[in-house]
Amino acid sequence: MTGETTHATRGNHVVPPERAEQGFRTIGEITTDNPVVVCRGVNVHYGDKHAIRDVSLDIAHNEVIAMIGPSGCGKSTFLRCINRLNDTIPTARVSGSIALDGRDIYDKQQDVVQLRARVGMVFQKPNPFPKTVYENVAYGPRIHGLAADRTELDEIVQTSLLRAGLWEEVKDRLESPGTALSGGQQQRLCIARTIAVSPEVILMDEPCSALDPIATARIEDLIDELRRNYAICIVTHSMQQAARVSQRTAYFHLGDLIEVGSTDQIFTNPRHKLTEDYITGRFG
Amino acid sequence: MSEQSASGALKPGQKNRQRVEAGLRRRYRAEARFRAYGIAAVALGLSFVAMLFVSIVSTGWTIFRQAYVLLEISYDADTFDPEGTGDPEVIGSGDFSAPIKASMRELFPDVEARAERRMLYGLVSDGAQFELRKRLMAGPEAVGSRETLWVLADDRVDQLLKGKIGRDQPADLRGLSDEEVAWIDRLEQAGQLELRFNRSFFTQGDSREPEQAGIWGALVGSALTLLVTLVLSFPIGVAAAVYLEEFAAKNRLTDFIEVNINNLAAVPSIVFGLLGLAVFIQLFGLPRSAPLVGGLVLTLMTLPTIIIASRAALKGVPPSIREAALGMGASQVQMVMHHVLPLAMPGMLTGAIIGMARALGESAPLLMIGMVAFIVDVPGALTDPSTALPVQVYLWADSPERAFLERTSGAILVLLAFLLVMNLAAVILRQKFERRW
Ligand SMILES: Nc1ncnc2c1ncn2[C@@H]1O[C@H](COP(=O)(O)OP(=O)(O)OP(=O)(O)O)[C@@H](O)[C@H]1O
Ligand SMILES: [Mg+2]
């Protein structure tokens, strides 16, 4: 079957035959009108393991793009390329080009600290700092020197918490530890922490996987809300979630970007066999 | 497995249940056995600790009290300041044994023979004269006046009072003649000889005379030494651990360094003493017997322990916190300083306290750098000659006088108390740093 053929060619770094036959690497429109992030030919190796091969994709302003695909296909790896968090893994090697607003982020001139202030990230497991709620949100503005004085910092903290939909719940306990909040609150705290530095792109790696449906719904509303100001790239294992929050969807398979398209099209009319198998639940 | 899939007399579910039940008993037995082993091990450990404490405390607790004689002292102007100058130099050069001898003669007017009088004077410690001298130098206006004063008695008197020398022993074994014992009894009956709080033990340095020998000198020596050790080894150890764990590239060289740090932790401590002797004293010309050098040597010894514990503590910080910090745009240094280090601090403190406790009990390396010398003065600076608690224990344990036995145990008690205070401080500090995540 197709899956087996794909496996057989893994080691030789060859384009899967079913893709080569069709004459292009990724099905669908990888480019957009107003891109913030432009990725071209991105490859990631972990030591000998080729985790991502030749991925090209644009991420647009004011758009939510969902990354879906079976476990281990390289969604997180791709996401972590965009804020260079893969730099912290000694065995990881990234090649290809990723540009943020036209400037290559892997350029020697690019400062990683500044990049990560522009590209925020929300992780799968809520990971607030073991500090107070206030300190959690104030941390980013503080290290980047965004607030001139305490009142300005207070303001940033409040607006961030408001926009993350957490203000009402925590306004009386700003000084209690962030780790004492519930899982869903913690995740929203992490989102508040991320938007406190006003990034241009927000990367979310399965932000709702540890949350119940109500907390998930709140975060999805929040994502929809945040789209007005940010470009959002979200990894999810839930088709419904992808369908609900995203405008575009990218399907990854064993390190390849198989298909990209509008969320509607991907879910109602997938063009690639693998995408269809995955969407219809026959696979992954 | 579902209940519906019944077939034959025994449902598959039931069969499994029986198997589980049969195994369950065995599991519980194994668990109970394991728990019994654990309790036995803990009980054994506790009983050894109890034995240690009982033996030390039972010989050492008497150290808190010491025999003192109540004497009527007259600071004769003729003896101390014949010209009435009030000059401390003149006063200080007076014969301070004279008033003590006079007072003893007054108490025992019937003792007249020279040899007997010498025996009589021997009941009072030599230390009494120094005490008098100190008092008079502090208040020279007392010349010409009298005062009643509790002065140190000789160690044999002390031991007799504490029952450590048997009265029915033959005189030569006792170290006290029958006359002396009789005088002691008379003094005691008159209420002029009693066991009082042992001030000198807790305020003096070492001495050849057991009754004057105090632990304070060694205690201060140990404190100064450990201060140097702590101030050097903790920051250096933590810095080395942070660098190796967080910043250094992982390559052959850092592997090599890691292996060698682990090896250093296993090097016998006396080797560090030899190194200290060769490097700090012979090469750098630092003074011998000084807490500074002792601290440096113990720093060398403690560093590997602290580095290893600190690295383990750093490794234990969850990667999610690191990613959170880096994801926020914190630099590597900011991540370490703001997030990783505070979370690793309790573990690092544990490492430090293990290292410091070992350093406190260490005597071998200190012997090599001359901290074993007989030192009477309490050290006042890092370069003053001094000794340390375990070395003092070793020195006293080696002394023939009976009274030193008690002092040895007393010194061990002080050492243990020091350790306790140190550990307590560490526990409090650690609790302050401990945070949940
Ligand atoms: N640090 C690493 N070292 C070595 N291999 C890694 C590392 N991280 C990921 N990989 C490998 O890279 C491949 C892609 O991993 P990645 O985490 O990106 O998958 P994913 O699509 O996010 O999966 P999931 O949906 O389960 O989160 C996997 O095969 C994984 O084993
Ligand atoms: Mg993932």
Side-chain angles (χ1 to χ4, degrees), chain A residues 19 21 35 49 54-55 63 72 76 137 149 157 188 200 205 229 271:
Chain A
R19 291 178 52 200
E21 274 161 30
K49 182 168 170 57
D54 227 351
V55 170
E63 175 193 77
S76 302
V137 184
D149 53 25
V157 170
R188 277 178 283 147
E200 291 153 54
D205 194 350
N229 301 293
R271 286 157 62 191

Side-chain angles (χ1 to χ4, degrees), chain B residues 169-182:
Chain B
Q169 277 177 336
D172 52 340
L173 255 180
R174 228 170 21 199
L176 285 166
S177 68
D178 291 337
E179 290 110 306
E180 282 173 312
V181 173

Side-chain angles (χ1 to χ4, degrees), chain B residues 289-306:
Chain B
S289 309
L292 177 65
V293 180
L296 287 170
V297 167
L298 292 180
T299 298
L300 292 180
M301 197 195 79
T302 316
L303 262 179
T305 313
I306 295 187

Side-chain angles (χ1 to χ4, degrees), chain B residues 149-160:
Chain B
L149 201 64
W150 288 99
V151 297
L152 259 181
D154 192 62
D155 60 306
R156 292 164 307 149
V157 179
D158 176 64
Q159 296 295 296
L160 188 78

Side-chain angles (χ1 to χ4, degrees), chain B residues 84-414:
Chain B
T85 53
D87 180 4
E89 218 164 281
V90 178
I91 297 174
S93 63
D95 176 11
F96 283 87
S97 68
I100 295 170
K101 288 175 180 165
S103 175
M104 286 301 273
R105 278 198 305 273
E106 249 171 69
L107 284 172
F108 296 95
D110 47 324
V111 180
E112 280 170 352
R114 271 185 85 109
E116 286 202 323
R117 278 201 174 158
R118 201 171 301 133
M119 263 159 61
L120 182 66
Y121 301 151
L123 293 184
V124 177
S125 164
D126 286 345
Q129 325 173 12
F130 304 122
E131 169 91 19
L132 290 191
R133 181 164 185 271
K134 218 160 58 186
R135 286 179 76 84
L136 201 58
M137 301 287 278
E141 63 281 355
V143 171
S145 71
R146 296 168 75 85
E147 66 173 337
T148 45
L149 201 64
W150 288 99
V151 297
L152 259 181
D154 192 62
D155 60 306
R156 292 164 307 149
V157 179
D158 176 64
Q159 296 295 296
L160 188 78
L161 249 56
K162 286 173 177 165
K164 305 224 167 176
I165 299 180
R167 280 162 193 275
D168 38 5
Q169 277 177 336
D172 52 340
L173 255 180
R174 228 170 21 199
L176 285 166
S177 68
D178 291 337
E179 290 110 306
E180 282 173 312
V181 173
W183 294 332
I184 290 169
D185 287 344
R186 260 171 69 187
L187 275 173
E188 208 182 353
Q189 267 148 31
Q192 291 195 284
L193 173 63
E194 61 179 47
L195 292 174
R196 304 169 63 83
F197 175 69
N198 193 351
R199 211 165 2 100
S200 65
F201 181 70
F202 293 102
T203 54
Q204 303 293 310
D206 197 7
S207 168
R208 295 274 181 230
E209 299 298 328
E211 76 275 6
Q212 294 172 49
I215 195 68
W216 185 244
L219 189 68
V220 172
S222 262
L224 290 176
T225 308
L226 285 184
L227 188 75
V228 174
T229 308
L230 183 67
V231 163
L232 291 177
S233 67
F234 192 63
I236 297 177
V238 168
V242 166
Y243 178 74
L244 287 173
E245 200 56 43
E246 305 286 338
F247 297 99
K250 304 276 175 281
N251 54 26
R252 285 259 180 87
L253 182 67
T254 45
D255 281 351
F256 179 75
I257 291 174
E258 176 162 7
V259 167
N260 279 292
I261 288 173
N262 292 344
N263 283 341
L264 273 183
V267 167
S269 56
I270 197 156
V271 176
F272 289 108
L274 279 170
L275 181 73
L277 178 65
V279 175
F280 299 128
I281 294 179
Q282 282 164 8
L283 194 64
F284 295 162
L286 292 176
R288 283 176 162 271
S289 309
L292 177 65
V293 180
L296 287 170
V297 167
L298 292 180
T299 298
L300 292 180
M301 197 195 79
T302 316
L303 262 179
T305 313
I306 295 187
I307 294 178
I308 291 171
S310 299
R311 291 188 70 173
L314 288 170
K315 277 203 186 91
V317 173
S320 63
I321 295 292
R322 297 164 190 274
E323 293 201 323
L326 291 177
M328 286 304 299
S331 64
Q332 189 85 3
V333 175
Q334 283 172 328
M335 174 192 84
V336 171
M337 289 300 164
H338 297 165
H339 303 287
V340 177
L341 215 48
L343 289 175
M345 203 36 95
M348 292 176 163
L349 282 172
T350 307
I353 202 64
I354 291 171
M356 295 300 289
R358 210 184 126 201
L360 172 64
E362 205 54 72
S363 50
L366 301 184
L367 303 188
M368 302 310 299
I369 54 150
M371 283 184 86
V372 72
F374 170 73
I375 287 141
V376 176
D377 292 323
V378 175
L382 291 178
T383 46
D384 285 354
S386 116
T387 181
L389 284 170
V391 179
Q392 188 69 76
V393 170
Y394 166 78
L395 283 172
W396 283 347
D398 220 24
S399 303
E401 284 92 341
R402 206 184 182 81
F404 272 124
L405 188 68
E406 180 191 63
R407 285 187 148 60
T408 308
S409 295
I412 294 174
L413 280 182
V414 171

